[in-house]
Amino acid sequence: EVVLTQSPDFQSVTPKETVTITCRASQSIGSSLHWYQQKPDQSPKLLIKYASQSFSGVPSRFSGSGSGTDFTLTINSLEAEDAATYYCHQSGSLRYTFGQGTKLEIK
Amino acid sequence: EVQMVQSGAEVRKPGATVKISCTVSGYTLTDYYLHWVRQAPGKGLEWMGRLDPDDGETIYADNFQGRLTMTADTSRNTAYMELRGLTSEDTAVYYCAPGGVAGGPVGPNGFFDYWGQGTLVAVSS
């Protein structure tokens, strides 16, 4: 099983800041890494697919990068509505897995 | 418009079985794998497995081997997830999600761009 480890687990930030969340895979997964945003009592929403491809309708302040084992999600100029938990997810192996999540609090 | 509508909340006793449905619309069920993901209260997302509705092939996460079955009724455009031997640790919201509709039938389809609304399963004596 590919283990995904996100850091940090929690971050408190102010509006307009830039945030970077990292996701490290226990083995190489190429670019088969995707990012989701989840708010309380909602289904997750896809932000980035295949490491760096923005999903339709997602604000341009969300971007992704990386390949192999190390990936990042960057959120530029944070807005209050970005308060949520963010998950990475890999499809590079037969059995998919998710990271443990990063909770983002906006001060 | 692609949509997944899941069956309603369930309450079960320990040791029981639950079967949840996921009815899709806006696309043909057999065009994409159908995945199941669960989330325990206050916890993260856990991939459970996936079904190929076209031929019934399944891949399950190791955690569920032996007590999880995924099936589909293509005539009803509906997929099912059955979990047996429930314990309190199975209390969670269960989601269905097709594999990467935006990738088209050719793919790649490793991401989840559409999700069901979730079904709460509560296991309690």
Side-chain angles (χ1 to χ4, degrees), chain B residues 76-106:
Chain B
R76 296 174 182 266
N77 253 7
T78 299
Y80 301 92
M81 187 281 297
E82 179 181 274
L83 190 59
R84 301 174 293 280
L86 293 169
T87 73
S88 59
E89 294 188 350
D90 294 314
T91 294
V93 174
Y94 291 75
Y95 296 100
C96 62
V101 176
V106 176

PDB file of all heavy atoms in Angstrom, chain B residues 76-106:
ATOM      1  N   ARG B  76     -30.429  -0.823 -13.904  1.00  0.00           N
ATOM      2  CA  ARG B  76     -30.936   0.246 -13.036  1.00  0.00           C
ATOM      3  C   ARG B  76     -29.935   1.377 -12.875  1.00  0.00           C
ATOM      4  O   ARG B  76     -30.169   2.304 -12.102  1.00  0.00           O
ATOM      5  CB  ARG B  76     -31.289  -0.312 -11.651  1.00  0.00           C
ATOM      6  CG  ARG B  76     -32.411  -1.335 -11.654  1.00  0.00           C
ATOM      7  CD  ARG B  76     -32.588  -1.927 -10.257  1.00  0.00           C
ATOM      8  NE  ARG B  76     -33.622  -2.959 -10.227  1.00  0.00           N
ATOM      9  CZ  ARG B  76     -34.893  -2.741  -9.906  1.00  0.00           C
ATOM     10  NH1 ARG B  76     -35.293  -1.534  -9.571  1.00  0.00           N
ATOM     11  NH2 ARG B  76     -35.749  -3.741  -9.908  1.00  0.00           N
ATOM     12  N   ASN B  77     -28.772   1.273 -13.547  1.00  0.00           N
ATOM     13  CA  ASN B  77     -27.692   2.266 -13.392  1.00  0.00           C
ATOM     14  C   ASN B  77     -27.341   2.456 -11.919  1.00  0.00           C
ATOM     15  O   ASN B  77     -27.076   3.574 -11.454  1.00  0.00           O
ATOM     16  CB  ASN B  77     -28.078   3.606 -14.015  1.00  0.00           C
ATOM     17  CG  ASN B  77     -27.322   3.874 -15.317  1.00  0.00           C
ATOM     18  OD1 ASN B  77     -26.604   3.014 -15.834  1.00  0.00           O
ATOM     19  ND2 ASN B  77     -27.487   5.060 -15.855  1.00  0.00           N
ATOM     20  N   THR B  78     -27.314   1.371 -11.179  1.00  0.00           N
ATOM     21  CA  THR B  78     -27.121   1.431  -9.728  1.00  0.00           C
ATOM     22  C   THR B  78     -26.005   0.496  -9.292  1.00  0.00           C
ATOM     23  O   THR B  78     -25.935  -0.653  -9.752  1.00  0.00           O
ATOM     24  CB  THR B  78     -28.421   1.071  -8.996  1.00  0.00           C
ATOM     25  OG1 THR B  78     -29.435   2.021  -9.358  1.00  0.00           O
ATOM     26  CG2 THR B  78     -28.230   1.087  -7.484  1.00  0.00           C
ATOM     27  N   ALA B  79     -25.151   1.008  -8.413  1.00  0.00           N
ATOM     28  CA  ALA B  79     -24.095   0.213  -7.800  1.00  0.00           C
ATOM     29  C   ALA B  79     -24.426   0.009  -6.332  1.00  0.00           C
ATOM     30  O   ALA B  79     -25.134   0.822  -5.720  1.00  0.00           O
ATOM     31  CB  ALA B  79     -22.746   0.917  -7.947  1.00  0.00           C
ATOM     32  N   TYR B  80     -23.876  -1.076  -5.777  1.00  0.00           N
ATOM     33  CA  TYR B  80     -24.148  -1.426  -4.379  1.00  0.00           C
ATOM     34  C   TYR B  80     -22.841  -1.722  -3.661  1.00  0.00           C
ATOM     35  O   TYR B  80     -21.896  -2.261  -4.245  1.00  0.00           O
ATOM     36  CB  TYR B  80     -25.047  -2.662  -4.310  1.00  0.00           C
ATOM     37  CG  TYR B  80     -26.378  -2.496  -5.015  1.00  0.00           C
ATOM     38  CD1 TYR B  80     -26.535  -2.871  -6.343  1.00  0.00           C
ATOM     39  CD2 TYR B  80     -27.474  -1.960  -4.349  1.00  0.00           C
ATOM     40  CE1 TYR B  80     -27.733  -2.707  -7.000  1.00  0.00           C
ATOM     41  CE2 TYR B  80     -28.692  -1.809  -4.996  1.00  0.00           C
ATOM     42  CZ  TYR B  80     -28.817  -2.179  -6.326  1.00  0.00           C
ATOM     43  OH  TYR B  80     -30.013  -2.014  -6.973  1.00  0.00           O
ATOM     44  N   MET B  81     -22.836  -1.387  -2.381  1.00  0.00           N
ATOM     45  CA  MET B  81     -21.713  -1.718  -1.514  1.00  0.00           C
ATOM     46  C   MET B  81     -22.275  -2.425  -0.290  1.00  0.00           C
ATOM     47  O   MET B  81     -23.086  -1.857   0.438  1.00  0.00           O
ATOM     48  CB  MET B  81     -20.979  -0.436  -1.100  1.00  0.00           C
ATOM     49  CG  MET B  81     -19.676  -0.659  -0.335  1.00  0.00           C
ATOM     50  SD  MET B  81     -19.888  -1.048   1.404  1.00  0.00           S
ATOM     51  CE  MET B  81     -20.650   0.453   2.000  1.00  0.00           C
ATOM     52  N   GLU B  82     -21.842  -3.672  -0.062  1.00  0.00           N
ATOM     53  CA  GLU B  82     -22.301  -4.453   1.084  1.00  0.00           C
ATOM     54  C   GLU B  82     -21.126  -4.714   2.012  1.00  0.00           C
ATOM     55  O   GLU B  82     -20.076  -5.216   1.586  1.00  0.00           O
ATOM     56  CB  GLU B  82     -22.894  -5.786   0.617  1.00  0.00           C
ATOM     57  CG  GLU B  82     -23.361  -6.666   1.763  1.00  0.00           C
ATOM     58  CD  GLU B  82     -23.934  -7.991   1.275  1.00  0.00           C
ATOM     59  OE1 GLU B  82     -25.122  -8.058   0.952  1.00  0.00           O
ATOM     60  OE2 GLU B  82     -23.147  -8.966   1.223  1.00  0.00           O
ATOM     61  N   LEU B  83     -21.297  -4.377   3.287  1.00  0.00           N
ATOM     62  CA  LEU B  83     -20.259  -4.582   4.288  1.00  0.00           C
ATOM     63  C   LEU B  83     -20.822  -5.463   5.387  1.00  0.00           C
ATOM     64  O   LEU B  83     -21.876  -5.168   5.962  1.00  0.00           O
ATOM     65  CB  LEU B  83     -19.783  -3.240   4.852  1.00  0.00           C
ATOM     66  CG  LEU B  83     -18.535  -3.247   5.727  1.00  0.00           C
ATOM     67  CD1 LEU B  83     -17.327  -3.802   4.971  1.00  0.00           C
ATOM     68  CD2 LEU B  83     -18.240  -1.841   6.253  1.00  0.00           C
ATOM     69  N   ARG B  84     -20.142  -6.546   5.696  1.00  0.00           N
ATOM     70  CA  ARG B  84     -20.604  -7.532   6.652  1.00  0.00           C
ATOM     71  C   ARG B  84     -19.789  -7.459   7.938  1.00  0.00           C
ATOM     72  O   ARG B  84     -18.724  -6.832   7.976  1.00  0.00           O
ATOM     73  CB  ARG B  84     -20.481  -8.940   6.044  1.00  0.00           C
ATOM     74  CG  ARG B  84     -21.284  -9.110   4.758  1.00  0.00           C
ATOM     75  CD  ARG B  84     -21.022 -10.479   4.108  1.00  0.00           C
ATOM     76  NE  ARG B  84     -19.648 -10.597   3.604  1.00  0.00           N
ATOM     77  CZ  ARG B  84     -19.229 -10.097   2.459  1.00  0.00           C
ATOM     78  NH1 ARG B  84     -20.050  -9.391   1.680  1.00  0.00           N
ATOM     79  NH2 ARG B  84     -17.977 -10.269   2.068  1.00  0.00           N
ATOM     80  N   GLY B  85     -20.280  -8.099   8.984  1.00  0.00           N
ATOM     81  CA  GLY B  85     -19.547  -8.153  10.242  1.00  0.00           C
ATOM     82  C   GLY B  85     -19.254  -6.788  10.815  1.00  0.00           C
ATOM     83  O   GLY B  85     -18.141  -6.509  11.253  1.00  0.00           O
ATOM     84  N   LEU B  86     -20.262  -5.922  10.834  1.00  0.00           N
ATOM     85  CA  LEU B  86     -20.061  -4.537  11.252  1.00  0.00           C
ATOM     86  C   LEU B  86     -19.628  -4.434  12.711  1.00  0.00           C
ATOM     87  O   LEU B  86     -20.092  -5.195  13.580  1.00  0.00           O
ATOM     88  CB  LEU B  86     -21.346  -3.741  11.052  1.00  0.00           C
ATOM     89  CG  LEU B  86     -21.765  -3.534   9.581  1.00  0.00           C
ATOM     90  CD1 LEU B  86     -23.182  -2.978   9.515  1.00  0.00           C
ATOM     91  CD2 LEU B  86     -20.793  -2.617   8.865  1.00  0.00           C
ATOM     92  N   THR B  87     -18.729  -3.485  12.966  1.00  0.00           N
ATOM     93  CA  THR B  87     -18.338  -3.101  14.322  1.00  0.00           C
ATOM     94  C   THR B  87     -18.513  -1.594  14.455  1.00  0.00           C
ATOM     95  O   THR B  87     -18.759  -0.897  13.471  1.00  0.00           O
ATOM     96  CB  THR B  87     -16.881  -3.472  14.624  1.00  0.00           C
ATOM     97  OG1 THR B  87     -16.010  -2.580  13.912  1.00  0.00           O
ATOM     98  CG2 THR B  87     -16.562  -4.906  14.224  1.00  0.00           C
ATOM     99  N   SER B  88     -18.315  -1.099  15.659  1.00  0.00           N
ATOM    100  CA  SER B  88     -18.462   0.344  15.879  1.00  0.00           C
ATOM    101  C   SER B  88     -17.470   1.129  15.021  1.00  0.00           C
ATOM    102  O   SER B  88     -17.715   2.288  14.677  1.00  0.00           O
ATOM    103  CB  SER B  88     -18.273   0.673  17.355  1.00  0.00           C
ATOM    104  OG  SER B  88     -16.994   0.248  17.789  1.00  0.00           O
ATOM    105  N   GLU B  89     -16.375   0.523  14.666  1.00  0.00           N
ATOM    106  CA  GLU B  89     -15.374   1.205  13.842  1.00  0.00           C
ATOM    107  C   GLU B  89     -15.836   1.394  12.393  1.00  0.00           C
ATOM    108  O   GLU B  89     -15.179   2.113  11.630  1.00  0.00           O
ATOM    109  CB  GLU B  89     -14.055   0.440  13.866  1.00  0.00           C
ATOM    110  CG  GLU B  89     -13.410   0.431  15.244  1.00  0.00           C
ATOM    111  CD  GLU B  89     -12.010  -0.146  15.248  1.00  0.00           C
ATOM    112  OE1 GLU B  89     -11.588  -0.714  14.226  1.00  0.00           O
ATOM    113  OE2 GLU B  89     -11.335  -0.030  16.287  1.00  0.00           O
ATOM    114  N   ASP B  90     -16.930   0.755  12.025  1.00  0.00           N
ATOM    115  CA  ASP B  90     -17.493   0.953  10.686  1.00  0.00           C
ATOM    116  C   ASP B  90     -18.483   2.107  10.651  1.00  0.00           C
ATOM    117  O   ASP B  90     -19.013   2.422   9.572  1.00  0.00           O
ATOM    118  CB  ASP B  90     -18.165  -0.333  10.208  1.00  0.00           C
ATOM    119  CG  ASP B  90     -17.181  -1.472   9.998  1.00  0.00           C
ATOM    120  OD1 ASP B  90     -16.125  -1.234   9.385  1.00  0.00           O
ATOM    121  OD2 ASP B  90     -17.468  -2.590  10.475  1.00  0.00           O
ATOM    122  N   THR B  91     -18.748   2.720  11.783  1.00  0.00           N
ATOM    123  CA  THR B  91     -19.591   3.915  11.794  1.00  0.00           C
ATOM    124  C   THR B  91     -18.904   5.009  10.995  1.00  0.00           C
ATOM    125  O   THR B  91     -17.781   5.418  11.304  1.00  0.00           O
ATOM    126  CB  THR B  91     -19.835   4.399  13.240  1.00  0.00           C
ATOM    127  OG1 THR B  91     -20.613   3.420  13.925  1.00  0.00           O
ATOM    128  CG2 THR B  91     -20.560   5.740  13.254  1.00  0.00           C
ATOM    129  N   ALA B  92     -19.562   5.464   9.945  1.00  0.00           N
ATOM    130  CA  ALA B  92     -18.930   6.399   9.012  1.00  0.00           C
ATOM    131  C   ALA B  92     -19.952   6.881   7.995  1.00  0.00           C
ATOM    132  O   ALA B  92     -21.053   6.327   7.882  1.00  0.00           O
ATOM    133  CB  ALA B  92     -17.767   5.724   8.272  1.00  0.00           C
ATOM    134  N   VAL B  93     -19.554   7.907   7.262  1.00  0.00           N
ATOM    135  CA  VAL B  93     -20.279   8.306   6.055  1.00  0.00           C
ATOM    136  C   VAL B  93     -19.601   7.607   4.878  1.00  0.00           C
ATOM    137  O   VAL B  93     -18.377   7.659   4.745  1.00  0.00           O
ATOM    138  CB  VAL B  93     -20.254   9.831   5.870  1.00  0.00           C
ATOM    139  CG1 VAL B  93     -20.890  10.212   4.528  1.00  0.00           C
ATOM    140  CG2 VAL B  93     -20.980  10.523   7.015  1.00  0.00           C
ATOM    141  N   TYR B  94     -20.400   6.953   4.070  1.00  0.00           N
ATOM    142  CA  TYR B  94     -19.905   6.208   2.922  1.00  0.00           C
ATOM    143  C   TYR B  94     -20.273   6.953   1.642  1.00  0.00           C
ATOM    144  O   TYR B  94     -21.433   7.338   1.453  1.00  0.00           O
ATOM    145  CB  TYR B  94     -20.504   4.795   2.914  1.00  0.00           C
ATOM    146  CG  TYR B  94     -19.967   3.943   4.035  1.00  0.00           C
ATOM    147  CD1 TYR B  94     -20.397   4.140   5.346  1.00  0.00           C
ATOM    148  CD2 TYR B  94     -19.020   2.954   3.791  1.00  0.00           C
ATOM    149  CE1 TYR B  94     -19.877   3.374   6.383  1.00  0.00           C
ATOM    150  CE2 TYR B  94     -18.505   2.182   4.821  1.00  0.00           C
ATOM    151  CZ  TYR B  94     -18.939   2.400   6.109  1.00  0.00           C
ATOM    152  OH  TYR B  94     -18.419   1.643   7.139  1.00  0.00           O
ATOM    153  N   TYR B  95     -19.267   7.168   0.786  1.00  0.00           N
ATOM    154  CA  TYR B  95     -19.467   7.891  -0.472  1.00  0.00           C
ATOM    155  C   TYR B  95     -19.194   6.972  -1.655  1.00  0.00           C
ATOM    156  O   TYR B  95     -18.259   6.160  -1.623  1.00  0.00           O
ATOM    157  CB  TYR B  95     -18.480   9.059  -0.594  1.00  0.00           C
ATOM    158  CG  TYR B  95     -18.604  10.163   0.415  1.00  0.00           C
ATOM    159  CD1 TYR B  95     -17.753  10.217   1.517  1.00  0.00           C
ATOM    160  CD2 TYR B  95     -19.536  11.189   0.248  1.00  0.00           C
ATOM    161  CE1 TYR B  95     -17.828  11.257   2.432  1.00  0.00           C
ATOM    162  CE2 TYR B  95     -19.631  12.229   1.156  1.00  0.00           C
ATOM    163  CZ  TYR B  95     -18.774  12.257   2.244  1.00  0.00           C
ATOM    164  OH  TYR B  95     -18.863  13.289   3.154  1.00  0.00           O
ATOM    165  N   CYS B  96     -19.974   7.156  -2.722  1.00  0.00           N
ATOM    166  CA  CYS B  96     -19.624   6.544  -4.006  1.00  0.00           C
ATOM    167  C   CYS B  96     -19.088   7.638  -4.925  1.00  0.00           C
ATOM    168  O   CYS B  96     -19.471   8.810  -4.803  1.00  0.00           O
ATOM    169  CB  CYS B  96     -20.815   5.838  -4.643  1.00  0.00           C
ATOM    170  SG  CYS B  96     -22.225   6.886  -5.067  1.00  0.00           S
ATOM    171  N   ALA B  97     -18.196   7.256  -5.825  1.00  0.00           N
ATOM    172  CA  ALA B  97     -17.611   8.225  -6.753  1.00  0.00           C
ATOM    173  C   ALA B  97     -17.143   7.484  -7.997  1.00  0.00           C
ATOM    174  O   ALA B  97     -16.399   6.503  -7.876  1.00  0.00           O
ATOM    175  CB  ALA B  97     -16.436   8.957  -6.099  1.00  0.00           C
ATOM    176  N   PRO B  98     -17.565   7.933  -9.170  1.00  0.00           N
ATOM    177  CA  PRO B  98     -17.043   7.309 -10.384  1.00  0.00           C
ATOM    178  C   PRO B  98     -15.605   7.759 -10.626  1.00  0.00           C
ATOM    179  O   PRO B  98     -15.186   8.833 -10.167  1.00  0.00           O
ATOM    180  CB  PRO B  98     -17.972   7.838 -11.478  1.00  0.00           C
ATOM    181  CG  PRO B  98     -18.457   9.142 -10.951  1.00  0.00           C
ATOM    182  CD  PRO B  98     -18.505   9.011  -9.456  1.00  0.00           C
ATOM    183  N   GLY B  99     -14.867   6.968 -11.314  1.00  0.00           N
ATOM    184  CA  GLY B  99     -13.472   7.279 -11.575  1.00  0.00           C
ATOM    185  C   GLY B  99     -13.293   8.238 -12.722  1.00  0.00           C
ATOM    186  O   GLY B  99     -13.320   7.827 -13.881  1.00  0.00           O
ATOM    187  N   GLY B 100     -13.104   9.522 -12.388  1.00  0.00           N
ATOM    188  CA  GLY B 100     -12.634  10.489 -13.356  1.00  0.00           C
ATOM    189  C   GLY B 100     -13.472  10.664 -14.604  1.00  0.00           C
ATOM    190  O   GLY B 100     -12.974  10.442 -15.717  1.00  0.00           O
ATOM    191  N   VAL B 101     -14.718  11.098 -14.449  1.00  0.00           N
ATOM    192  CA  VAL B 101     -15.593  11.296 -15.611  1.00  0.00           C
ATOM    193  C   VAL B 101     -14.985  12.293 -16.586  1.00  0.00           C
ATOM    194  O   VAL B 101     -15.079  12.132 -17.806  1.00  0.00           O
ATOM    195  CB  VAL B 101     -16.991  11.752 -15.149  1.00  0.00           C
ATOM    196  CG1 VAL B 101     -17.888  12.071 -16.340  1.00  0.00           C
ATOM    197  CG2 VAL B 101     -17.635  10.679 -14.281  1.00  0.00           C
ATOM    198  N   ALA B 102     -14.316  13.326 -16.059  1.00  0.00           N
ATOM    199  CA  ALA B 102     -13.743  14.356 -16.936  1.00  0.00           C
ATOM    200  C   ALA B 102     -12.651  13.794 -17.831  1.00  0.00           C
ATOM    201  O   ALA B 102     -12.291  14.416 -18.848  1.00  0.00           O
ATOM    202  CB  ALA B 102     -13.194  15.514 -16.106  1.00  0.00           C
ATOM    203  N   GLY B 103     -12.112  12.630 -17.480  1.00  0.00           N
ATOM    204  CA  GLY B 103     -11.090  12.014 -18.320  1.00  0.00           C
ATOM    205  C   GLY B 103     -11.662  11.312 -19.532  1.00  0.00           C
ATOM    206  O   GLY B 103     -10.904  10.861 -20.393  1.00  0.00           O
ATOM    207  N   GLY B 104     -13.013  11.194 -19.585  1.00  0.00           N
ATOM    208  CA  GLY B 104     -13.632  10.480 -20.678  1.00  0.00           C
ATOM    209  C   GLY B 104     -13.423   8.979 -20.556  1.00  0.00           C
ATOM    210  O   GLY B 104     -12.627   8.518 -19.732  1.00  0.00           O
ATOM    211  N   PRO B 105     -14.119   8.191 -21.358  1.00  0.00           N
ATOM    212  CA  PRO B 105     -13.997   6.724 -21.256  1.00  0.00           C
ATOM    213  C   PRO B 105     -12.578   6.211 -21.504  1.00  0.00           C
ATOM    214  O   PRO B 105     -12.216   5.151 -21.011  1.00  0.00           O
ATOM    215  CB  PRO B 105     -14.957   6.233 -22.344  1.00  0.00           C
ATOM    216  CG  PRO B 105     -15.946   7.332 -22.502  1.00  0.00           C
ATOM    217  CD  PRO B 105     -15.162   8.603 -22.302  1.00  0.00           C
ATOM    218  N   VAL B 106     -11.765   6.985 -22.224  1.00  0.00           N
ATOM    219  CA  VAL B 106     -10.400   6.544 -22.517  1.00  0.00           C
ATOM    220  C   VAL B 106      -9.459   6.843 -21.351  1.00  0.00           C
ATOM    221  O   VAL B 106      -8.468   6.146 -21.146  1.00  0.00           O
ATOM    222  CB  VAL B 106      -9.901   7.198 -23.828  1.00  0.00           C
ATOM    223  CG1 VAL B 106      -8.450   6.835 -24.107  1.00  0.00           C
ATOM    224  CG2 VAL B 106     -10.789   6.771 -24.989  1.00  0.00           C
TER     225      VAL B 106
END
